[in-house]
Each structure stands twice: as C-alpha cells, then as structure tokens.
Amino acid sequence: MRLNKKISEADFMAEREEVLKTWPTGKDVHLQEAIDYLKKIPPERNFAEKLEAADKAGLTMAQPRAGVPLLDEHIILMQYLQDEGGADFLPSTIDAYTRQNRYEEGERGIEESKKAGRSLMNGFPAVNWGVANCRTVVESVHLPLQARHGTPDARLLSEIIHAGGYTSNEGGGISYNVPYAKAVSIEKSLEYWQYADRLVGFYEENGVHLNREPFGPLTGTLVPPSMAIAVGIIEALLAAEQGVKSITVGYGMCGNMLQDTAALISLRELTKEYMKTYGYNDTYITTVFHQWMGGFPADESRAYGLISLGSAIAALSGATKVIVKTPHEAFGIPTKEANAGGIKATKMVLNLLRGQRYPDATGLAQEIELIKAETKCILTETFKLGNGDLFQGTVKAFEVGVLDIPFAPSKYNIGKAMPARDDNGAIRYLMTGNIPFTTDILDFNREMLEKRAKTDKREVNFQMTIDDVYAVSSGVLVGGRH
C-alpha cells in the first residue's frame, strides 16, 4: 500500500505515459506547452487567483452546476450563465460515462446527441472533446472554469481539463468514490487522486497556480458535520502533500442555520489548523458551501425559498463560494433559464447580506466546540490506525468504520453510522457504529434526539431518519411534522 508521500517526478512521469494512452485525446497533452498556455490566463480568469482575492475581500462568490454533451451547446450554456445569470465562476459538469472511464460510450453519446438535436447525456464529455476543444470553451467566456464530476479515477480527465485551460478540478479519493461508486477500493481511488493532485503540484512547481476542491456534501443526505469535515480535511492534507497550494474545502447545507454556520466555521478553522500542524504553511485555504443537496420541493416558489436559505447561510458563515441549485431540481436536469434563475436569486441574497456575519452567540460557540471535538476524535483515530500515515490510516479507518458515510453505495463503507435530526433540525448521530467518540459526545447526541422524541411523542428510532430524508421535499425540516 502506498504512503502519504509526494510521488517522485520519475514515478509520476512513468505513470503519465500509461495514463495518456488510455484514450486517443491523451496524446494531445504536452506539459510544457500546457504550462505556457496556462501562464497566459489572466488572474481574473484563474480560479485559484480569483477565489483567493474574494476570500481576502470577505466576499461570497456564486457558481452553478451545468454541462451538456455538444461543444457548441456547452459554450452557449456557459455564456448564458455568465451573461444572463451573472455567475462568478463557471463549471463544466462532466457526464456519467466519463465518470466511469467509459469513453467509447461517451463517443456514441455525442453522436446520438448530434443526431437527436438535443442533449442525451448528463454532462460535458471533456476527455472525448480533448484539449483543443476544452480551450475553445475556456476562451469563449471571461470567467474561470472548473471541472465538476464524480470520478473515482480522474487521472486522464485531470490531464485533459488542466491542459485545456481549466484552473480548478473538484473531487478526491474519498468524496468521488464512496458516494458515487460501489466497487472501487478506497486504496485505488486514493492512488488515482494522488496522481491528480501530483499533476497540480507539478504545474505549481512550474509557476501555474491551480485550485483543487474536495467534494464536501458526500452523499448529500443527512451527513453529520463532523464526518463531512473529517473527510474534507483528509483530502486537503493528501492534496497538500502532493504540492497543491490552493484548496477549497466544502460543506453541504443541512438546514439548521446555526449548525450549518458552525460547521462552515469549524471546517475553515480546523483545516487551517491541521495544515499548520503538518507543515503545509504555504497552502491557501478557501471554503465552499453547497446549497441543499437532498430532495427538492417540486413547487418552483418553494424551491426558490430553499435556494435563498442556502444563500443566506453561505453569506452569514463567510463561505468564499456557494454552489447554486435551481428551482427545477425536482424534475432532473434544469434548463439554462432555470439555472440562471437560481444564480440570480442567490446573488440577490448575497448582495443584501454582504459584510454581515452570523452573530456571536453561546449556542454557536457550543456547536463549533462539539463539531470540532467530534471531528478530532475521527481524525486522531485515523492517524493512529495508519501509524501516523494518513493514506494508510484512511484505508484502515474505512475498514473498521471510523470513517463511515451515511447512505453511501460503496461496499468499502461499513454503513453502521446513522443520522437523524434533533428537535431544532440539527443533524445528530442516531447510531455511531464504530466511530470512536467520547462518552460525553455520545451522551449529548442521544440527549438531543431524546428531546425530539419527547416533542414528537415517539421513540428514538430509525423511523426518524426515514422521515427526515423526505422532509424538506415536502416543505419541513424535521421529519414527521407538518
């Protein structure tokens, strides 16, 4: 098993040779030429540079999710979200075939979409389009571009998008495996993402500043803050070891305003603390808050209400960036008009709340203290399991259930931890499985759920969890209440 050690340049270049042979477009990636190209991108179109400038100014930026299979249509979509939506950053959401490295099917999907005259895929197949076409997308807009996907093995995709001018790549060895794939081992996906991070580190060594963003929401369904934060910190530390200098750690909205604010603050402070502890002193940390990732109300007006709540939390918690949802989430892939509508609603709230922060309060401080204590329990045991090595510790932590993500499809996730909301809608641990919490943390989680049970006149049990999964789409936060 590999260690959490920077891949040597010789080993990296040897692996690159094999990666670039995976699909014909790989032959068009030439590192020095790509370095020269990326150096010409101005700061306002460089993801890392613009994000760090926003962070220093105390601003929260807005970025949608979006991607279609045909090149010209993807460009039209990006331009629309830029010009009509007013986005601050742009995405290329990658299609499902590419996420599973099924490039031949991606090729067929492009051809079938051309014949049908409409999108028959759920994203932009960047590997199939290749470096030159990716640059056409990049040069068609004046905002920074990021690849957003869900790919356990994103090695070739990372090569194509960075050489193509994309200055940010989302994902990680945990967050783009455990919530997305069933049969990819933790060890293999961590290795694949070591490569993606080493590629960014190589660009950094050659004067190109690129951003990396672990995927914070994980399964997007009732993930307790401490588990999400622990994963984010692990992926950030693994990336930093490979030479990544700009890292955006993320968190997905859970719905309780105080807890979400406390979680974002804890994520930012703990990531910086762990970076300093392990000697990554020249890594710039920014944050991203994801609007609601669970089931959406079908009613458009209610959907806008949910979007606006997420926007308010992002602003008041001081997130550097917010990932925007659309009022059509309940129906599948949104139109460009719906996507622009979500951005405009978000930007309105961000503008109104500019400079404001969630007020200091005893409850906020207590929630931050709890989240940090839970997170440190998880991370301390993870490092211990690896005898100080984070790569090995992470693999073993999943094996024994110290890292345990609710509702994940991966067979390498033990699945014993289970969440439920408390009386105020904050997410607590209903079942902790093998997560090594202290007695006082276990008692607190149980006490908070007992209070809800008393209010609801029922027992503390798994039915709470089931009710909570469906609650927001029906217009409430805590399940079983109307």
Side-chain angles (χ1 to χ4, degrees):
M1 191 188 299
R2 277 192 192 174
L3 300 173
N4 180 34
K5 296 295 180 188
K6 188 173 186 178
I7 303 169
S8 71
E9 188 169 321
D11 287 345
F12 175 62
M13 291 302 173
E15 188 174 351
R16 279 193 81 242
E17 262 190 65
E18 297 307 310
V19 168
L20 295 178
K21 293 175 184 175
T22 310
W23 187 254
T25 53
K27 72 180 186 307
D28 298 323
V29 179
H30 305 287
L31 268 179
Q32 188 55 56
E33 188 272 341
I35 289 165
D36 295 339
Y37 178 82
L38 286 161
K39 281 182 176 178
K40 294 174 185 174
I41 293 176
E44 67 272 15
R45 287 176 52 221
N46 179 294
F47 217 99
E49 300 281 1
K50 185 173 180 177
L51 205 54
E52 290 165 22
D55 185 69
K56 289 168 185 173
L59 300 175
T60 301
M61 303 277 101
Q63 179 184 357
R65 287 182 174 86
V68 292
L70 300 182
L71 183 66
D72 291 346
E73 289 186 10
H74 189 67
I75 289 170
I76 290 168
L77 175 60
M78 295 298 102
Q79 291 173 338
Y80 190 88
L81 299 179
Q82 169 188 270
D83 300 334
E84 179 63 26
D88 297 303
F89 296 96
L90 291 172
S92 282
T93 299
I94 305 300
D95 69 290
Y97 290 136
T98 301
R99 297 178 196 187
Q100 298 301 319
N101 311 106
R102 290 155 58 180
Y103 309 124
E104 287 186 9
E105 288 167 84
E107 203 69 27
R108 286 198 294 272
I110 292 171
E111 293 307 312
E112 288 167 3
S113 294
K114 286 178 181 177
K115 288 176 186 175
R118 60 188 178 89
S119 299
L120 298 177
M121 297 162 69
N122 64 344
F124 180 70
V127 169
N128 294 88
W129 284 114
V131 173
N133 287 315
C134 282
R135 290 183 183 181
T136 301
V137 176
V138 168
E139 291 164 11
S140 71
V141 293
H142 55 72
L143 296 175
L145 271 149
Q146 177 187 54
R148 305 184 68 86
H149 37 111
T151 312
D153 180 3
R155 292 174 298 173
L156 181 59
L157 176 62
S158 301
E159 291 276 6
I160 297 286
I161 59 109
H162 289 315
Y166 286 67
T167 46
S168 181
N169 188 17
E170 186 191 35
I174 302 168
S175 64
Y176 267 8
N177 176 8
V178 179
Y180 284 93
K182 182 179 180 180
V184 181
S185 74
I186 308 296
E187 182 179 348
K188 290 307 295 182
S189 61
L190 289 179
E191 287 181 5
Y192 297 147
W193 278 92
Q194 271 189 330
Y195 178 100
D197 288 328
R198 183 67 183 87
L199 176 64
V200 172
F202 185 87
Y203 277 113
E204 288 283 355
E205 290 163 10
N206 287 274
V208 176
H209 198 30
L210 299 177
N211 173 259
R212 279 278 294 107
E213 181 184 320
F215 178 62
L218 302 176
T219 53
T221 307
L222 301 177
V223 179
S226 56
M227 187 57 64
I229 291 169
V231 170
I233 292 171
I234 289 169
E235 292 191 342
L237 289 170
L238 293 171
E241 175 61 26
Q242 298 302 325
V244 178
K245 304 299 182 188
S246 172
I247 301 173
T248 304
V249 284
Y251 177 76
M253 173 183 171
C254 291
N256 177 286
M257 199 169 214
L258 184 145
Q259 186 183 49
D260 282 345
T261 302
L264 204 286
I265 292 170
S266 300
L267 174 65
R268 178 168 54 237
E269 293 179 353
L270 279 178
T271 305
K272 290 181 178 180
E273 179 185 320
Y274 276 90
M275 285 289 168
K276 186 176 180 182
T277 298
Y278 289 94
Y280 305 115
N281 297 313
D282 57 349
T283 303
Y284 199 105
I285 301 298
T286 51
T287 55
V288 54
F289 184 80
H290 295 248
Q291 291 174 0
W292 182 249
M293 293 288 289
F296 249 71
D299 181 84
E300 188 170 301
S301 298
R302 287 185 172 193
Y304 272 122
L306 187 56
I307 288 168
S308 297
L309 176 61
S311 307
I313 296 169
L316 294 173
S317 64
T320 321
K321 183 180 75 169
V322 58
I323 301 297
V324 178
K325 290 304 209 106
T326 81
H328 291 179
E329 295 295 327
F331 305 108
I333 298 172
T335 63
K336 67 181 189 298
E337 291 81 9
N339 215 321
I343 301 167
K344 286 191 278 189
T346 295
K347 295 274 284 189
M348 180 66 177
V349 175
L350 296 179
N351 289 338
L352 291 172
L353 292 175
R354 181 174 295 180
Q356 298 185 53
R357 291 292 180 266
Y358 197 98
D360 289 334
T362 301
L364 181 66
Q366 289 174 343
E367 191 67 30
I368 291 171
E369 183 181 359
L370 172 70
I371 291 170
K372 286 185 174 181
E374 289 182 353
T375 304
K376 287 184 176 181
C377 285
I378 296 167
L379 290 175
T380 298
E381 187 65 18
T382 299
F383 274 104
K384 184 179 175 183
L385 286 166
N387 294 316
D389 185 88
L390 187 56
F391 186 108
Q392 300 207 353
T394 299
V395 174
K396 291 174 183 175
F398 272 103
E399 286 175 0
V400 300
V402 168
L403 289 168
D404 192 353
I405 299 169
F407 308 110
S410 173
K411 69 179 184 180
Y412 297 95
N413 186 73
I414 207 163
K416 290 184 178 180
M418 198 55 60
R421 294 190 184 277
D422 68 14
D423 210 22
N424 299 312
I427 294 176
R428 307 297 177 194
Y429 287 90
L430 173 68
M431 293 180 277
T432 54
N434 298 333
I435 304 169
F437 290 144
T438 56
T439 302
D440 58 330
I441 289 174
L442 294 171
D443 290 346
F444 179 81
N445 275 268
R446 185 70 185 183
E447 179 188 339
M448 297 306 288
L449 293 175
E450 292 283 4
K451 286 181 179 178
R452 172 185 171 180
K454 187 175 180 182
T455 299
D456 291 353
K457 297 182 174 58
R458 60 160 149 176
E459 295 295 316
V460 175
N461 57 33
F462 181 60
Q463 187 59 45
M464 286 180 168
T465 307
I466 297 170
D467 293 343
D468 290 342
V469 168
Y470 296 104
V472 169
S473 60
S474 62
V476 294
L477 186 62
V478 181
R481 299 177 181 178
H482 300 283

